[in-house]
Amino acid sequence: MSVDVSVAVPVGAEQTYAWLTEPARLRRWQLIAGRLDLRVGGEFRWLISPTHTAVGTVAAAEPGRRLALSWGWEGDKEVPPGSSTVDITLEPTADGTTVRLVHEGLSDEQAKGHHEGWQHFLQRLRTVTTAGDAGPDEFAALGEPEPLAAAEASLAICLRVLRAMGADRGDAQTPCKAFTVDDLLGHLMGSLTGLAGAAGRPFDAVDGTPEERVADGGLRAIEAWRARGLDGTVTLLSKDVPAELAAGILPIEFLVHAWDFATAVGVDVTADDKLNAYILELARQIIAPELRDGVTFDAEVQVGPDAGTLERLIAFTGRVA
């Protein structure tokens, strides 16, 4: 069976091809984060939603005309990497471009689910090419609560804030008294590289905009932990700690610092209550009293009974919402 879906977008074929292939554009409608080596035989790795990472290779890359990919889901026995193909063709029209996507190599049941997914994302492609912003993606919400799924869901929120913030607000003061935006970005990247190293996969941070840096570093840190798993202990800051506890730092870093960046520059941050509540429980396990030294964390701020879950999380880390 195959999925065969199309959408009309109001931009030319060359620009449409860019929306399909450039990670910075893909993050605005389809991906949380991802990498793509855009040449025949090149590999791609796309974190599309929490616990769902598509991987494969490029079979065809014809700017303005066609993109074909071998396609599968990491860790999925039903549609493993290399088991199916996605072929996207672009047809110029008087008003823009018709995008046709054909996904082959699926069973009847698999085709049904993938048809729904591709329809969802092609509608978001039309929205982003029409309005410039596809908005938060409901597919990026947290499903089953666990540390790495929460990290992926909160990374999506953090990247959306950084995209809205832009690249020229480095001097803005954050709610962390000692940190400007640039300082906080450096702290976050240091945390990501340290946590990836604790999982056995250190990486060198890339240059670029704040969004580009965190997109790459966040993806690599999560990949390190997915490869390692959450069993046993790891060494972090010269201490042996349970691996699951260490991995739980990631979603706290992404969501709390998303709030910090947003507050510093006056943009919105939105997270659903399920994710906020789960990360608050992680924070209660991880932020020990000795960490409340006025530098790492301040004392917990008391909030009223009507406070929302995000406000409670922010208050628990010592910040005033």
Side-chain angles (χ1 to χ4, degrees):
M1 291 293 295
S2 64
V3 173
D4 190 337
V5 291
S6 300
V7 69
V9 298
V11 295
E14 294 289 340
Q15 189 174 354
T16 303
Y17 187 81
W19 281 107
L20 295 169
T21 57
E22 295 178 8
R25 291 179 185 251
L26 284 161
R27 288 194 299 270
R28 293 170 65 179
W29 66 275
Q30 184 181 20
L31 310 186
I32 295 176
R35 297 187 295 274
L36 169 64
D37 182 1
L38 189 56
R39 59 187 175 87
V40 174
E43 297 181 348
F44 74 92
R45 182 181 184 85
W46 291 349
L47 173 60
I48 292 181
S49 62
T51 74
H52 290 83
T53 297
V55 295
T57 57
V58 177
E62 304 171 23
R65 295 179 57 194
R66 180 178 177 228
L67 175 69
L69 308 167
S70 75
W71 185 277
W73 298 101
E74 185 174 65
D76 190 323
K77 295 180 180 179
E78 298 297 323
V79 187
S83 66
S84 67
T85 59
V86 172
D87 199 331
I88 305 172
T89 53
L90 307 179
E91 183 65 34
T93 67
D95 300 320
T97 305
T98 297
V99 181
R100 181 187 180 195
L101 182 149
V102 179
H103 191 163
E104 297 184 309
L106 303 169
S107 70
D108 288 355
E109 188 64 28
Q110 293 160 1
K112 180 180 179 182
H114 283 75
H115 183 274
E116 178 184 348
W118 285 122
Q119 286 279 44
H120 168 82
F121 284 114
L122 288 186
Q123 292 306 311
R124 285 179 59 79
L125 173 62
R126 181 163 63 183
T127 300
V128 78
T129 55
T130 301
D133 187 352
D137 185 5
E138 63 190 72
F139 281 19
L142 179 65
E144 188 67 26
E146 57 91 13
L148 298 182
E152 291 162 347
S154 54
L155 174 61
I157 294 167
C158 187
L159 292 177
R160 185 165 177 79
V161 167
L162 292 174
R163 189 178 314 134
M165 181 181 77
D168 59 354
R169 304 296 301 274
D171 292 337
Q173 178 63 49
T174 74
C176 305
K177 295 187 290 290
F179 287 169
T180 63
V181 162
D182 278 346
D183 295 331
L184 186 60
L185 182 63
H187 161 80
L188 177 56
M189 294 306 302
S191 295
L192 296 178
T193 55
L195 288 165
R201 287 194 176 187
F203 67 89
D204 294 324
V206 301
D207 293 327
T209 66
E211 183 196 355
E212 290 167 342
R213 293 172 65 188
V214 176
D216 182 78
L219 183 63
R220 292 185 186 277
I222 293 168
E223 288 171 350
W225 280 96
R226 287 218 174 272
R228 186 205 176 278
L230 302 182
D231 295 333
T233 62
V234 297
T235 302
L236 191 63
L237 299 177
S238 301
K239 295 181 180 179
D240 290 338
V241 298
E244 187 168 1
L245 199 67
I249 297 172
L250 283 169
I252 298 171
E253 290 278 328
F254 290 135
L255 184 54
V256 172
H257 292 325
W259 183 88
D260 289 331
F261 289 124
T263 302
V265 300
V267 302
D268 292 333
V269 56
T270 302
D272 67 86
D273 282 348
K274 183 177 182 180
L275 179 64
N276 297 336
Y278 178 69
I279 295 180
L280 176 56
E281 289 307 308
L282 289 177
R284 294 188 187 282
Q285 298 173 47
I286 291 169
I287 302 176
E290 59 268 24
L291 295 178
R292 296 188 184 277
D293 55 6
V295 178
T296 308
F297 294 99
D298 281 333
E300 179 179 0
V301 175
Q302 297 303 308
V303 295
D306 296 330
T309 52
L310 181 58
E311 185 179 354
R312 290 181 182 280
L313 169 61
I314 295 306
F316 185 77
T317 66
R319 295 157 167 82
V320 179

